[in-house]
Amino acid sequence: MRKRWGALVIIPCVISVVLLVGSLFVFLRASLYADLGFGKLSTTIDLTNYRRILTDGYYLRTLWLTCYISLIVAACCIVVGFPVAQILSRLRSRWTTVLLSIVVLTSFITIVIQVFGLIIIFRADGPVNSALLALGLIDRPFSLVGSVGGVVVGLIYSTFGFAVMLMFAVVRTIPVSLDEAATVHGAGRLRVFTRIILPLSLPGIIIGFLTVFNLCMGAFTSAALLGGGRVITLPVLIQRTMLLDVKYGIAGALAALLLVFVVALNLLSIGVLRRFRASRLVLS
């Protein structure tokens, strides 16, 4: 019976693989043909689209902006989320599951609702601007829409729960007895954190960082709504190139560039992590 029920997993796996490979094939194929205008592609294969992207400063600046925003969001989620994950993992209370659920729940709310909620909270007559004006911290109201800071805040809001959940699972595997043993031998909380918890949690921190970074590199809704047409990230540019400019070749090449860049950066990070762990084993 277990084997029969396990065979049912094959169907969704096959569907997922077909959809993934099919979508990759479509945009990779389109990227190899030059745009002729009005959605038409040339019949000869060449690398015109890739040459144009790699030699045009506008496309390269867009890639850098997307990477820059993703790095900031990933770093903020790790710096803020890791202490939260550590406290929750060491909290001996029945409220631990409830608190973790509340943190993670924010990441499962529809992104459109998240973004419009932020717009309402941070609008000119919203509670945040009203409080800051009343305290005299700002001279005039500010808006998240149309700024890099707004896109960063929106992406942090949507990915923070995933980062906490991943790091919580890693810190939870570290035995509490190690903390207690270090404390018995005179180590303070800071020393326990820097010498025990942080080194043992490093793989989970890196995985959390890469997960958030990958999500942000491909994020469209937050960047499109909070960017307000003034902050153009690569996913937003791909959507505009395909739907507004009707240039399927360039759009396909941009999608391929985004895919290759993210995969290469992840492989490089994994390679660095392996060398770091190997060097630590040699030193130990």
Side-chain angles (χ1 to χ4, degrees), residues 129 132-142:
N129 275 301
L132 293 177
L133 287 170
L135 294 173
L137 298 178
I138 57 176
D139 297 327
R140 57 182 179 178
F142 69 93

Side-chain angles (χ1 to χ4, degrees), residues 186-198:
R189 291 185 177 181
L190 181 60
R191 193 168 183 82
V192 171
F193 176 78
T194 56
R195 298 298 299 271
I196 296 177
I197 297 178
L198 189 60

Side-chain angles (χ1 to χ4, degrees), residues 183-228:
T183 304
V184 169
H185 286 82
R189 291 185 177 181
L190 181 60
R191 193 168 183 82
V192 171
F193 176 78
T194 56
R195 298 298 299 271
I196 296 177
I197 297 178
L198 189 60
L200 294 177
S201 304
L202 188 60
I205 293 175
I206 294 176
I207 295 300
F209 184 93
L210 291 177
T211 301
V212 174
F213 178 83
N214 294 337
L215 291 173
C216 294
M217 286 294 291
F220 169 75
T221 306
S222 297
L225 295 178
L226 290 172

